[in-house]
Amino acid sequence: MSSKVVYEGWMVRYGRRKIGRSFIHMRYFVLESRLLAYYKKKPQDNQVPIKTLLIDGNCRVEDRGLKTHHGHMVYVLSVYNKKEKYHRITMAAFNIQEALIWKEKIELVIDQHQESQVSNGNKYVSFEYKSGMDNGRNGSSSDHESQFSAQEDEDDGHLNLMRRTTIGNGPPDLVHDWTRELDSDLSNQNINNQAFSRKHWRLLQCQNGLRIFEELLEVDYLPRSCSRAMKAVGVVEASCEEIFELVMSMDGTRYEWDCSFQYGSLVEEVDGHTAILYHRLQLDWFPMFVWPRDLCYVRYWRRNDDGSYVVLFRSREHENCGPQPGYVRAHVESGGFNISPLKPRNGRPRTQVQHLMQIDLKGWGVGYLSMFQQHCLFQMLNSVAGLREWFAQTDERSAHPRIPVMVNMASASVSSKKNQNLQDSLIHPSSSLDQLNAGSRHSVMMDEYSDEDEEFQLAESEQEVWFTLESSSFSTLEEEQADQIDLSCFSGNLRHDDRDNARDCWKLSDGNNFRVRSKHFCYDKTKIPAGKHLMDLVAVDWFKDTKRMDHVARRQGCAAQVASEKGLFSLIFNLQVPGSTHYSMVFYFVTRQLVMGSLLQRFVDGDDEFRNSRLKLIPSVPKGSWIVRQSVGSTPCLLGKAVDCNYIRGPKYLEIDVDIGSSTVANGVLGLVIGVITTLVVDMAFLVQANTTDELPERLIGAVRVSHIELKSAVVPKLEPEIS
């Protein structure tokens, strides 16, 4: 045994091969230097481990969330190398804290190896395109995990990939310390924060020590009987983990803090972060005359890097949870909890709890008795006060809470059908929440692998000065020549329309809508409006097929080939959407030539490890429901660490195939978005992250806005066969 042990301890050996039926196998795991190994017992000198895995920069820690294992709920992690997916180690813990420590330690080793490679001098290797190489893929690229499921792993039909933040979107914009004054908090928030801005929420009333907010945003796609989104915000003296345990439970403990709860059971366990639940409400509005309500909804949860938890739910139909006699099936448009840590006070942990609900209680009387819906909504939101009082009156609490296993009302046949059901749900927008598979395969995308920098915002007047000063030094060859490109010769099958109210189209998004690292970011963490793009977006394609579409730049007559014929360089982003029908949205960015030695040129000609560490996406949802805006967020995301990116270097282009299905989180957010895609306006900005003063300030490769996209408008592409 080496003396340099990073971390060690007993963990559950979670895998496909199980000896016996009713007991859990514990193994002693050791992380020393760059080697992860496990033993049957605590190792002595020269003891040979059962299995080992060498940790390097290509390794990932996949968070599989909560799983039921031999009657216990465990938190599962899987460690593997992207280049050798057959070889992996899967481990589990009885509590989230222990699993997160392991995850943090392993990712620390991964990051240290990556940093050591960079400090030794990164060699930017240019991978030239070679036809016939695995359907256009480079040898270092990775495919969907389901094609490489390890022999020892659980036989899940839709295993997905993750690299960093447990399940999540990184620190969300909703995290506030509400002990400060509202104005003070708002002044320190990101300008893109929509959750607590005066523009979207107003304080409705204070009740039971809670602040009740009402969303001001009007939506035109919900029935009149559906309430506006409302949320209760309160502070609970308990840790995030303790509160999360209670929020996730559906046992007798819930009666002690949730006065709207009558009964709950598990319909289907989709994966470690998503479950379909049946929930009966206990409403006290003239129960002799008003029928009781019940719900069938998808619940998704994630844990963010800052220690906060997000639990989202939204109604959906399920074959094993039809209408129940004597109950009216209510519909949750969006709802959930945001559980965020605050600074301790007097040695006691403090947590901000937000509970949001937007619900349609259905029934004939809802349209006539608005007080009925409001009364019931307030009763559900009061559960935050119930949580506060429950912890205030409980002296002894477990330091490492476990989440209890729920009663299952679904038949065993459901699990065998869940893959097909989930894939079908991705392409049926009418299903009320086929979207929230979203959830678990969670948030957020896109915030999960994000800039975790403490961001200092400049005053608006100062921003203008900074932007003017910094943009004056942006007169590069790329920018000067961009205006000389004739864009009329390029076309894609998705329509270009600059009107604000246009549908099923794309247009350029103003770079000033996005904030990027300033020239002095290394010293003061300031960010500025991004300004003008480095490359021109000339066309967008919207494709569909029965299989994933790789290397779309080989399609005859596409914008990349037109650009190549004109001597221009193209950067193609192929966002691949999984499902029973596969979709691809392809963005073609063009410039006359790359500036040698620039960050963009180094990215294009670099190796995959460098590209993965730098490729950044900034998402935003200017128009959409609260649950979608919350899940997608607006925090920058390092795509190469969040999902699998395959880079195809052609003579005059670089294509980046972004396999969204390779990430549990990204795939889940996409599942949420795809079902309501026709109601959304989405902005995306692509850039290469700048880490040193020589590389700063950051510049956008380009930005695009897609509006109210229709799935039926996608076309089947005719891809040229690869020449072997």
Side-chain angles (χ1 to χ4, degrees):
M1 289 283 295
S2 168
S3 60
K4 190 177 181 181
V5 175
V6 179
Y7 198 66
E8 61 182 332
W10 290 99
M11 294 283 281
V12 178
R13 174 67 186 104
Y14 185 92
R16 185 178 181 184
R17 283 185 264 178
K18 300 170 184 176
I19 304 173
R21 294 186 176 182
S22 59
F23 55 92
I24 288 180
H25 295 275
M26 303 296 294
R27 296 290 182 263
Y28 197 85
F29 286 78
V30 177
L31 176 63
E32 51 179 331
S33 187
R34 287 176 49 208
L35 191 69
L36 177 64
Y38 67 85
Y39 305 78
K40 283 189 175 181
K41 58 182 180 179
K42 190 171 183 178
Q44 305 297 326
D45 292 338
N46 300 322
Q47 184 173 341
V48 178
I50 300 174
K51 191 172 183 179
T52 62
L53 179 67
L54 183 65
I55 305 297
D56 61 20
N58 290 310
C59 286
R60 285 190 176 186
V61 184
E62 177 191 354
D63 183 334
R64 295 190 179 177
L66 294 167
K67 299 277 189 177
T68 304
H69 188 58
H70 291 314
H72 296 268
M73 195 68 77
V74 293
Y75 196 105
V76 183
L77 301 176
S78 183
V79 189
Y80 66 95
N81 192 300
K82 288 178 60 178
K83 297 183 178 181
E84 300 176 357
K85 293 183 184 176
Y86 283 109
H87 187 54
R88 64 173 62 218
I89 289 180
T90 307
M91 57 205 300
F94 289 115
N95 60 79
I96 293 178
Q97 294 94 326
E98 182 66 18
L100 294 179
I101 292 174
W102 275 101
K103 189 173 191 298
E104 178 185 350
K105 298 294 185 182
I106 296 171
E107 287 184 343
L108 177 64
V109 174
I110 295 173
D111 291 340
Q112 287 175 344
H113 181 260
Q114 289 179 338
E115 291 171 2
S116 67
Q117 295 296 104
V118 174
S119 63
N120 291 335
N122 183 51
K123 297 180 180 180
Y124 304 105
V125 182
S126 175
F127 291 92
E128 298 299 329
Y129 166 67
K130 296 180 181 180
S131 61
M133 181 181 290
D134 192 18
N135 196 26
R137 287 183 175 271
N138 290 326
S140 60
S141 65
S142 56
D143 292 29
H144 194 281
E145 183 185 23
S146 61
Q147 302 173 16
F148 295 93
S149 296
Q151 296 296 320
E152 294 185 352
D153 287 326
E154 175 187 334
D155 192 17
D156 283 347
H158 57 284
L159 300 180
N160 297 298
L161 305 180
M162 279 185 60
R163 157 63 179 92
R164 185 169 282 288
T165 312
T166 75
I167 3 268
N169 291 325
D173 293 335
L174 296 181
V175 179
H176 296 283
D177 186 344
W178 285 99
T179 58
R180 303 176 185 175
E181 292 184 358
L182 180 63
D183 290 341
S184 174
D185 281 343
L186 288 171
S187 65
N188 291 327
Q189 293 302 312
N190 187 300
I191 62 172
N192 290 324
N193 182 356
Q194 300 178 356
F196 282 98
S197 69
R198 294 188 181 93
K199 181 179 178 182
H200 295 284
W201 296 92
R202 72 180 180 93
L203 181 63
L204 190 64
Q205 63 175 272
C206 293
Q207 176 179 299
N208 295 334
L210 307 177
R211 288 180 303 153
I212 309 295
F213 289 85
E214 181 181 54
E215 188 176 30
L216 299 179
L217 192 64
E218 292 284 356
V219 292
D220 53 8
Y221 56 88
L222 295 177
R224 294 179 60 186
S225 58
C226 188
S227 67
R228 287 188 180 184
M230 298 179 66
K231 65 182 170 189
V233 181
V235 176
V236 180
E237 288 194 347
S239 68
C240 291
E241 284 71 24
E242 291 172 320
I243 298 171
F244 174 70
E245 177 198 22
L246 280 187
V247 167
M248 294 288 283
S249 67
M250 287 285 190
D251 59 1
T253 308
R254 198 176 186 99
Y255 293 116
E256 301 179 26
W257 61 272
D258 187 354
C259 60
S260 66
F261 175 77
Q262 184 185 78
Y263 171 78
S265 61
L266 175 68
V267 178
E268 178 185 350
E269 185 180 274
V270 179
D271 59 28
H273 299 289
T274 306
I276 301 172
L277 307 180
Y278 175 68
H279 187 154
R280 289 179 182 173
L281 299 174
Q282 180 71 47
L283 304 177
D284 58 5
W285 178 275
F286 295 106
M288 293 183 63
F289 303 100
V290 179
W291 279 35
R293 264 55 177 178
D294 65 358
L295 298 164
C296 180
Y297 59 90
V298 176
R299 181 186 68 187
Y300 154 73
W301 71 274
R302 70 174 183 267
R303 183 185 188 277
N304 294 319
D305 274 345
D306 63 344
S308 64
Y309 289 83
V310 172
V311 183
L312 303 176
F313 28 83
R314 187 167 179 171
S315 287
R316 66 157 294 168
E317 296 178 357
H318 194 279
E319 61 183 355
N320 288 84
C321 189
Q324 303 294 308
Y327 286 85
V328 175
R329 181 60 54 88
H331 174 82
V332 176
E333 175 62 26
S334 62
F337 290 86
N338 194 327
I339 306 166
S340 309
L342 299 175
K343 292 181 179 179
R345 178 176 293 175
N346 299 326
R348 295 181 63 87
R350 296 168 61 249
T351 300
Q352 181 198 82
V353 179
Q354 302 171 41
H355 182 21
L356 180 140
M357 287 296 293
Q358 186 173 21
I359 191 170
D360 184 352
L361 289 173
K362 302 292 186 178
W364 65 269
V366 175
Y368 301 98
L369 300 172
S370 58
M371 292 180 60
F372 166 64
Q373 181 125 318
Q374 187 177 59
H375 173 86
C376 296
L377 193 53
F378 283 169
Q379 184 179 343
M380 288 184 275
L381 294 178
N382 260 326
S383 62
V384 178
L387 283 169
R388 183 191 63 219
E389 294 305 311
W390 192 92
F391 283 105
Q393 300 173 31
T394 305
D395 292 329
E396 299 297 331
R397 301 197 293 266
S398 172
H400 299 290
R402 296 186 187 181
I403 298 173
V405 179
M406 295 177 59
V407 177
N408 194 331
M409 70 174 287
S411 65
S413 62
V414 175
S415 296
S416 63
K417 297 178 181 178
K418 67 181 179 181
N419 295 333
Q420 185 61 41
N421 291 342
L422 286 177
Q423 287 186 340
D424 291 344
S425 69
L426 291 175
I427 60 171
H428 293 296
S430 59
S431 244
S432 70
L433 195 63
D434 310 313
Q435 300 104 288
L436 196 79
N437 292 331
S440 106
R441 311 221 303 239
H442 198 150
S443 163
V444 156
M445 190 178 160
M446 292 243 165
D447 301 23
E448 78 175 293
Y449 308 115
S450 62
D451 262 344
E452 296 170 21
D453 308 302
E454 184 180 356
E455 180 179 342
F456 294 84
Q457 301 296 333
L458 298 175
E460 191 170 335
S461 58
E462 293 176 346
Q463 290 176 8
E464 295 176 359
V465 175
W466 276 69
F467 180 65
T468 302
L469 292 174
E470 296 202 358
S471 61
S472 64
S473 63
F474 287 168
S475 181
T476 63
L477 180 61
E478 294 164 322
E479 189 170 301
E480 292 172 354
Q481 294 178 334
D483 295 335
Q484 302 173 11
I485 298 176
D486 179 13
L487 306 182
S488 62
C489 57
F490 300 98
S491 64
N493 73 296
L494 188 64
R495 182 170 53 91
H496 180 200
D497 194 328
D498 289 327
R499 294 176 299 172
D500 290 337
N501 60 347
R503 301 181 67 86
D504 198 24
C505 62
W506 68 272
K507 71 174 185 177
L508 294 179
S509 184
D510 186 353
N512 290 330
N513 292 335
F514 304 91
R515 303 180 62 77
V516 297
R517 297 178 175 185
S518 70
K519 182 67 176 176
H520 304 284
F521 179 85
C522 293
Y523 306 104
D524 54 20
K525 304 297 184 183
T526 52
K527 291 189 176 183
I528 59 171
K532 191 173 181 180
H533 310 161
L534 288 173
M535 303 181 73
D536 288 305
L537 178 60
V538 298
V540 178
D541 280 324
W542 181 221
F543 293 143
K544 66 179 178 181
D545 206 340
T546 56
K547 59 182 182 300
R548 190 177 63 194
M549 291 153 281
D550 300 326
H551 191 196
V552 294
R554 58 191 161 98
R555 186 175 65 88
Q556 189 66 34
C558 73
Q561 294 201 9
V562 173
S564 181
E565 292 170 359
K566 295 181 175 294
L568 307 176
F569 183 84
S570 302
L571 196 55
I572 305 110
F573 291 91
N574 176 16
L575 304 186
Q576 300 170 324
V577 182
S580 56
T581 297
H582 292 257
Y583 292 89
S584 276
M585 184 162 283
V586 187
F587 305 101
Y588 301 89
F589 294 93
V590 171
T591 188
R592 190 164 296 278
Q593 68 181 59
L594 299 175
V595 176
M596 294 303 298
S598 67
L599 180 58
L600 181 57
Q601 180 270 323
R602 290 163 51 202
F603 171 81
V604 168
D605 293 329
D607 59 21
D608 286 0
E609 188 169 343
F610 177 72
R611 292 165 175 162
N612 285 335
S613 67
R614 295 300 188 94
L615 179 59
K616 185 188 290 185
L617 169 71
I618 306 177
S620 178
V621 182
K623 183 177 180 181
S625 66
W626 176 88
I627 195 170
V628 173
R629 298 199 310 270
Q630 161 69 5
S631 297
V632 175
S634 58
T635 306
C637 156
L638 288 174
L639 276 180
K641 291 187 176 182
V643 296
D644 283 348
C645 295
N646 176 48
Y647 304 91
I648 304 166
R649 183 69 161 94
K652 294 290 289 185
Y653 67 83
L654 173 66
E655 177 176 333
I656 306 172
D657 291 345
V658 182
D659 183 6
I660 298 177
S662 66
S663 166
T664 300
V665 171
N667 200 26
V669 173
L670 186 63
L672 176 63
V673 169
I674 202 73
V676 292
I677 193 171
T678 57
T679 69
L680 302 180
V681 175
V682 180
D683 286 346
M684 289 176 283
F686 301 92
L687 66 156
V688 181
Q689 179 168 286
N691 290 341
T692 66
T693 54
D694 293 338
E695 297 170 346
L696 292 168
E698 287 181 332
R699 300 292 309 280
L700 296 184
I701 295 172
V704 61
R705 168 170 291 186
V706 291
S707 303
H708 307 289
I709 299 300
E710 298 282 351
L711 294 179
K712 62 184 180 182
S713 66
V715 302
V716 179
K718 184 179 179 181
L719 298 178
E720 298 297 324
E722 295 289 343
I723 302 174
S724 53

